[in-house]
Amino acid sequence: MRQRPSRLRLADALGMTRAVAPGHEAVALPGGSRWLLLGLGPDPAALAAQLPPGADVRYLECPAFFQAAGQAWRAAIPRSWRRIDACDAGEADNILLHTQSLQLFPQFWAPVRAALLLPRPPGTDAAGTVLMPEMPGSMLAPAIARALAEEGFAVRVVSRAGLLERLERERPALFLSVNCAGLDRFGEVQALLERAGVPVATWLADNPFHVLSGVKTAAWRDLRLFVTDDWFVEPLTRHGARHVRHLPLAADPAFFAAAPARPELAGRLLFVGHSAFPGKEAFFSGLSPDPDLWRQATAMLLRGGRPDYGWWARAQGMDTLWPGLGARRVGCGAEESGLAWRELVIREAARTGKLTVCGDAAWTALAGAAFDFLPPVSYGPALASLYAAARFVVGAVSPLLPHGLTQRHFDVWAAGGCLLTDATPGLALFPEELTRPVTYARAKDIPDLARERERDRDGLVAAWRAHIATHHTYRHRVRRILECVGELRD
């Protein structure tokens, strides 16, 4: 009686020690004697016992798995089985795929799975079509889709289930997502699109390392990445990204049609924002800022300093932001700094006696200040009308983006409002003569800045509005994406 081997354990592609579980799925079982095994799993001898006598077996195994599994595992492979270097499903009657292999070595197996799903890449080019994944609730996706349409492209929103069917028919010009929406942790969608010859681009509007923290394949390094904050270009490149470009946020042209619809906001300061992003507690589960660093961070905020993501990374000595939890450990401190900063901004703006806060009800307890409260409004015309109605909009950039700008840096001016912004390096995108009059470094300077801007507010709004319309709409950004993708394809 054969002794049952001990459970195979090895380091996966990310260096994590994993137990290898048995289990194969049948990709094709039409009968016949020719078998193709895609991944052998933890026990080749046990797998052999499941095959019919006389089976003609070829197998494909990830080289890293083959070496890490050890000599005893390799010795258990029947000598009659032939190892191959590439998947050729056309030469097999029956195909078995080791289920866990994709999770262990996704960069090797995702292209293999793509070849099974799409044996023949599409022969028809659809150069005028751009695919976008389903992105419910995204603020950017509708504006991007409209901008692409204005540039003459047909935008097709596809579900993951519908992607394969479309790729079997045609080869679109681009697959474009926001924050990796429509892609998956193990790179299967990316591999399928690359198999079809479709460039894949993702515009990272949020902190890129937070977006990537759930990704389990190094294949993200081959994506065409566009970051709204240029601070991330260097660390992403250092972590292996091959194509990273800075692409700031922009204004949706629809905001230029805004009209004030809230007369009660006339003459008032307006702050718009939520106290936390959805799922914050789960995202930072088990993490909290170091108490000593937290004391330093809060002192910096009072002085007008910026304990941003870069500061927290340096203070914690965190050089590796992917893979692992390093990105979230750094981000936890930056996120809490952002909350403390917004609380401080609200308290100081409330000293004018003319502040309205539009957001979640938690601000009342968090900020500890007197202000009028408005419940959240949807992004689009309703929000634009608030910007147009208020005398000033007070902005506060999240420290999660060291050089970041927010959507308000574009939308407020487009709607005919006037933004008072905290001092972020991202303001270098705009002419200094426009940014200097509306920028504060210390929250306590907000009331004085608002009083000073009363005299020249309308002239600033007109100048800003013209500048945004000329240089910073989503149509400008879409053109840049298409230019960059075209450069990489040539």
Side-chain angles (χ1 to χ4, degrees):
M1 181 176 179
R2 188 175 64 90
Q3 184 176 0
R4 185 175 181 83
S6 59
R7 188 73 172 270
L8 178 65
R9 297 177 65 85
L10 49 73
D12 66 10
L14 301 184
M16 301 292 292
T17 300
R18 304 274 300 275
V20 182
H24 283 72
E25 59 181 284
V27 177
L29 286 177
S33 63
R34 299 180 304 171
W35 288 76
L36 175 60
L37 307 179
L38 301 176
L40 299 184
D43 189 349
L47 179 60
Q50 299 174 26
L51 303 184
D56 178 14
V57 178
R58 294 176 303 125
Y59 71 94
L60 177 67
E61 186 56 86
C62 172
F65 185 103
F66 192 86
Q67 291 302 317
Q71 180 58 40
W73 178 89
R74 292 191 290 272
I77 302 173
R79 292 184 178 182
S80 62
W81 291 7
R82 289 170 293 155
R83 187 181 179 192
I84 58 176
D85 297 324
C87 175
D88 187 356
E91 295 186 3
D93 300 314
N94 310 280
I95 302 175
L96 294 180
L97 177 68
H98 180 235
T99 309
Q100 193 191 13
S101 285
L102 178 71
Q103 299 174 19
L104 297 172
F105 295 95
Q107 205 165 358
F108 180 85
W109 288 109
V112 172
R113 288 181 175 234
L116 292 174
L117 291 170
L118 194 66
R120 291 176 298 279
T124 302
D125 282 325
T129 300
V130 172
L131 300 183
M132 293 184 69
E134 295 175 323
M135 292 181 270
S138 170
M139 293 192 302
L140 268 64
I144 293 170
R146 286 192 292 271
L148 284 167
E150 290 168 357
E151 289 297 304
F153 286 87
V155 179
R156 301 288 181 256
V157 177
V158 293
S159 64
R160 183 168 179 179
L163 177 61
L164 177 60
E165 181 183 356
R166 181 165 292 278
L167 295 179
E168 288 173 335
R169 299 197 311 266
E170 62 185 20
R171 181 185 299 107
L174 177 66
F175 179 92
L176 177 60
S177 79
V178 177
N179 289 333
C180 291
L183 303 175
D184 61 281
R185 295 193 303 161
F186 298 107
E188 288 187 274
V189 171
Q190 180 182 344
L192 184 62
L193 288 159
E194 290 176 353
R195 170 79 177 172
V198 180
V200 185
T202 186
W203 194 354
L204 298 168
D206 295 333
N207 182 300
F209 286 104
H210 278 190
V211 175
L212 294 170
S213 65
V215 174
K216 302 301 182 183
T217 173
W220 69 264
R221 294 166 173 158
D222 295 321
L223 293 170
R224 294 155 175 86
L225 303 177
F226 295 88
V227 294
T228 59
D229 182 345
D230 65 0
W231 183 90
F232 288 98
V233 173
E234 187 279 329
L236 283 168
T237 302
R238 180 162 36 88
H239 281 72
R242 295 174 179 86
H243 314 293
V244 190
R245 303 290 180 91
H246 178 217
L247 192 72
L249 294 168
D252 186 339
F255 273 69
F256 288 93
R262 296 274 191 156
E264 69 273 22
L265 293 179
R268 296 186 65 81
L269 279 67
L270 173 68
F271 178 91
V272 178
H274 294 282
S275 61
F277 62 84
K280 171 184 171 178
E281 290 187 8
F283 189 82
F284 294 121
S285 177
L287 301 175
S288 61
D290 174 87
D292 289 336
L293 295 180
W294 180 245
R295 283 190 289 271
Q296 296 178 44
T298 52
M300 288 175 63
L301 292 174
L302 291 172
R303 298 193 304 267
R306 292 181 59 79
D308 58 30
Y309 194 81
W311 181 88
W312 281 95
R314 292 188 299 274
Q316 293 176 282
M318 194 70 69
D319 294 324
T320 300
L321 300 173
W322 189 92
L325 289 177
R328 299 193 187 193
R329 290 192 180 99
V330 174
C332 180
E335 171 63 18
E336 292 308 308
S337 296
L339 176 58
W341 176 235
R342 296 195 299 277
E343 292 174 7
L344 185 58
V345 165
I346 289 174
R347 284 198 299 272
E348 295 297 338
R351 290 196 294 112
T352 64
K354 301 176 181 179
L355 178 65
T356 297
V357 173
C358 177
D360 53 84
W363 284 127
T364 302
L366 288 170
F371 51 78
D372 290 348
F373 177 76
L374 286 176
V377 298
S378 59
Y379 184 78
L383 181 59
S385 70
L386 296 185
Y387 292 157
R391 188 64 177 169
F392 297 105
V393 178
V394 182
V397 178
S398 169
L400 285 171
L401 302 175
H403 296 178
L405 297 171
T406 70
Q407 197 63 59
R408 283 177 287 281
H409 285 96
F410 305 91
D411 290 345
V412 171
W413 301 110
C418 183
L419 177 69
L420 305 181
T421 174
D422 53 339
T424 165
L427 291 172
L429 179 70
F430 308 114
E432 186 182 359
E433 62 268 24
L434 294 181
T435 60
R436 187 177 58 254
V438 295
T439 301
Y440 65 90
R442 301 176 301 178
K444 68 179 184 179
D445 295 332
I446 293 172
D448 289 341
L449 183 62
R451 283 192 294 269
E452 292 168 4
R453 292 288 71 80
E454 284 290 351
R455 296 188 301 273
D456 54 0
R457 176 194 182 278
D458 293 346
L460 278 167
V461 169
W464 267 102
R465 205 175 195 203
H467 182 76
I468 296 295
T470 304
H471 301 286
H472 300 293
T473 68
Y474 277 105
R475 194 166 180 181
H476 292 105
R477 305 297 189 252
V478 160
R479 288 173 184 168
R480 181 62 179 149
I481 291 173
L482 296 170
E483 288 171 3
C484 293
V485 170
E487 291 170 3
L488 291 171
R489 296 191 75 171
D490 293 340

